[in-house]
Amino acid sequence: MSEPLISLRDITRTYRNGELSTTVLHGVSLDIQEGEFVAIMGASGSGKSTLMHLLGCLDKPTSGSYRFAGENIADLDKDELASLRRKTFGFIFQSYHLIPSATATENVEVPAIYAGMPRLARHTRAQALLSELGLGERLGNRPSQLSGGQQQRVSIARALMNDARVILADEPTGALDSKSGADVLALLKQLHGRGKTVIVITHDREVASHADRLVEIRDGHIIHDSGVIGRTGQPSPTADAARTPEPEAVRRAALADIGEAVRMALRALKANLFRTVLTLLGIVIGVASVVVMLAVGNGARQDVVDRISSLGTNLLLVRPGAPNVRRSVEGQVTSLVASDIDAIAELDNVRAAVPEMNGRVTLRAGNTDYSTQVTATIEALPLARDWGVSAGVFIDDQDNQRYSAVTVLGQTVATNLFGDSDPLGEYVLVNNVPFQVIGVMAAKGAAPWGADQDDVVFVPLNTGSLRLIGQRYLNSVTVMIDDLAAAEATQEAVRQTLLQAHGGVEDFQIRNMASLLENVAETQNTFTVLLGSIAAISLLVGGIGVMNIMLVNVTERTREIGIRVATGARTRHILQQFIVEALVVSAIGGALGVVLGLAFAALLQVLGTPIQFTPGPVALAFGCAFATGLIFGYMPARKAAHLDPVVALSAD
């Protein structure tokens, strides 16, 4: 007799639950030759199922030795045991253990997926096996659409998918009627006839009588063994094959086939569609919130920056006011006067220095009265403000020298006083003083601080000072510079000039518009980050939803995990499967969230909210959704990957 294929020596198996321990197998010794048909018979609780789990490498003995083809199984790690099961063992379970959401063909294909068989090849083989077993018309049926006998045939086909040499059948007829049971036993005899080693676990002596060899077990002890009968089959595979590196194609495809993993994930998610939709909703809302919030934040920032930029970034704004300032009797700041303008205008890098006096006036044109702001200034204002006229001309130096009673209207004022009529050449009363309209400014829009820049009239500086405003001091001076790179040096030169003119008293303030723009941009960036962070909380909540749904999936699909492990899935296969499912949920939710976010942002834009669409926030939101799936899917996936296969198979 050649070396036995399976050799057990003094095997014990003890289960521990806290301090309580139960020994199921007591020193079992058994040899099984290649090509035998063996029935292991015993009553319920005798230890026969535990023995089958040990024989199929689903479990490890507490003590004793299990050698498969001469190789000690104890020397194999978890993944090597999975490889051995995949290449050598085919399981036929009493409860069939089919994946409910998969078709008959897909159930049969499972072992071949982990073996790395190409999709078309395994599909063809699965259909051929099912057809051979009389299920050619049931290829696309799910387990719920098959009878008990048909489900058991699917289980047998799955056991043969990888051309297993050892068939382990646990109560293969226990849940079947007599005819279906007889058909299954006939199939087992056929498999034995083809050289397969068949081991049947049963409590039924009639079933056991179909085997060539009978082994009886009671209370964890073998009480009878009829001995080896029959032939020795083909040369047995060695357990060392489990250690042999798999071909590159196998490593590439053994559920590292991402496409197959995605298909499995979609099938599993479809099986619980309503729950999947609720999970997707959390991701969709989170991603949409991030997209909208960042689009709004970026739009608000850009809007403010554009408005400030419209005032000019090569400007220095000089305003009166500081801890030591001169004030008029009315409490107005009086530290800037017309002579300061001449001193500033003579400095290097200064292109123009534009004074402004401001006040409130009432205009009348015909029977229409209108209250607005008057700005008394000089001819350089359009240059410094980058603000031209849309009709007529602006004030010139001669108007200033002659104290001319002329005015240029802002668009808002022109519309309120004259409507659609042409105001050029017309006279308006400004505080009851007649002024001729010589021009209309181009539309400027709202200032960064919200004021309507078009709600103003311009008059010559000297005229406004003498006839309208009644003051000598200036409200502000706008200094236009040529070289923006020298802005800080020019700012300091203006400061020193004014200090000298004001007797060393710094009773003014100088604001660099370029610096202001940078500060505003930084502030708005902070605001955008804040909005994004708030939105990210929604994404975090969605991620927790993904983790919860995956934990529920692991709990509900514990038996499926056991089936996959029994058919050869390694730890990384199970880990990858559940991570891919989490990623698929997150990717679908992320894509829907991006679409919804962009659509809502577009709606806000139509309603007048400043919006800026950039690829960054979209990529960030989708990337965060994907990362959320990976991070929150890992723990449930890890839990699934480390489930004990025996416990998993016995789960409800």
Side-chain angles (χ1 to χ4, degrees), residues 484-546:
L484 191 59
E488 293 186 3
T490 305
Q491 180 179 344
E492 181 61 21
V494 171
R495 177 175 174 273
Q496 294 298 330
T497 298
L498 292 178
L499 281 175
Q500 185 176 359
H502 295 189
V505 179
E506 191 165 353
D507 50 5
F508 55 86
Q509 302 173 40
I510 304 176
R511 179 171 293 172
N512 187 330
M513 290 298 291
S515 299
L516 174 63
L517 185 61
E518 291 178 3
N519 291 335
V520 169
E522 289 178 3
T523 301
Q524 288 297 119
N525 284 337
T526 302
F527 174 68
T528 301
V529 170
L530 176 62
L531 288 177
S533 300
I534 294 172
I537 294 174
S538 300
L539 196 55
L540 178 64
V541 172
I544 294 173
V546 171

Side-chain angles (χ1 to χ4, degrees), residues 51-394:
L51 181 57
M52 188 202 78
H53 293 150
L54 292 174
L55 290 172
C57 299
L58 292 172
D59 198 5
K60 286 190 174 183
T62 304
S63 66
S65 169
Y66 174 17
R67 305 184 76 83
F68 182 85
E71 183 76 13
N72 193 347
I73 296 302
D75 295 336
L76 302 180
D77 62 25
K78 190 174 182 179
D79 284 344
E80 289 169 342
L81 288 173
S83 180
L84 182 62
R85 285 194 299 271
R86 182 169 61 249
K87 296 174 180 179
T88 306
F89 293 101
F91 294 91
I92 302 172
F93 299 102
Q94 177 182 3
S95 300
Y96 320 131
H97 287 337
L98 302 179
I99 299 172
S101 60
T103 65
T105 301
E106 290 167 343
N107 268 285
V108 174
E109 287 180 359
V110 171
I113 292 174
Y114 302 119
M117 186 182 294
R119 187 165 183 262
L120 180 60
R122 68 172 181 261
H123 193 70
T124 302
R125 176 167 172 75
Q127 290 186 339
L129 286 171
L130 287 170
S131 298
E132 185 180 347
L133 294 174
L135 295 175
E137 296 180 356
R138 301 285 186 174
L139 301 177
N141 287 38
R142 287 181 169 77
S144 60
Q145 300 169 314
L146 300 173
S147 67
Q150 290 170 335
Q151 291 185 58
Q152 190 65 289
R153 287 170 182 265
V154 174
S155 178
I156 293 171
R158 182 180 61 194
L160 298 174
M161 186 65 190
N162 286 348
D163 196 26
R165 289 183 177 273
V166 180
I167 304 298
L168 285 166
D170 184 15
E171 300 283 6
T173 64
L176 302 178
D177 57 55
S178 57
K179 182 180 184 307
S180 297
D183 291 341
V184 168
L185 289 173
L187 285 172
L188 293 176
K189 282 191 172 183
Q190 289 179 19
L191 295 176
H192 174 239
R194 296 178 190 175
K196 306 295 182 184
T197 302
V198 180
I199 303 173
V200 175
I201 309 297
T202 183
H203 69 281
D204 189 338
R205 187 168 294 276
E206 182 179 350
V207 172
S209 66
H210 289 76
D212 296 330
R213 177 182 176 188
L214 176 63
V215 176
E216 294 187 64
I217 186 169
R218 181 187 300 167
D219 297 329
H221 299 273
I222 292 179
I223 61 171
H224 171 71
D225 184 352
S226 64
V228 178
I229 299 176
R231 52 178 171 69
T232 299
Q234 303 169 4
S236 63
T238 63
D240 193 54
R243 302 169 185 256
T244 305
E246 296 180 279
E248 181 61 29
V250 173
R251 289 197 300 269
R252 206 169 45 241
L255 201 54
D257 180 351
I258 300 301
E260 187 63 39
V262 171
R263 281 189 290 272
M264 287 184 181
L266 290 173
R267 186 174 64 220
L269 297 173
K270 185 179 178 182
N272 295 283
L273 189 58
F274 183 70
R275 189 171 64 200
T276 301
V277 169
L278 292 179
T279 307
L280 282 175
L281 191 60
I283 297 293
V284 168
I285 293 174
V287 171
S289 298
V290 172
V291 171
V292 173
M293 290 292 192
L294 292 181
V296 170
N298 288 336
R301 177 182 60 81
Q302 191 60 46
D303 184 58
V304 172
V305 168
D306 289 343
R307 292 188 184 188
I308 293 177
S309 298
S310 69
L311 299 177
T313 56
N314 60 336
L315 302 178
L316 302 177
L317 299 182
V318 184
R319 296 185 182 277
N324 301 309
V325 297
R326 295 191 294 273
R327 294 182 180 271
S328 66
V329 176
E330 295 80 12
Q332 300 295 325
V333 180
T334 60
S335 60
L336 291 179
V337 293
S339 59
D340 294 330
I341 305 304
D342 298 330
I344 293 173
E346 293 176 359
L347 296 174
D348 292 337
N349 200 37
V350 173
R351 189 173 182 184
V354 182
E356 293 183 30
M357 289 183 187
N358 301 315
R360 297 294 300 181
V361 294
T362 301
L363 306 180
R364 169 169 284 189
N367 295 324
T368 304
D369 290 341
Y370 186 74
S371 178
T372 187
Q373 175 180 285
V374 63
T375 296
T377 187
I378 63 175
E379 68 278 3
L381 182 136
L383 175 66
R385 292 274 198 91
D386 190 23
W387 190 2
V389 294
S390 63
V393 295
F394 196 73

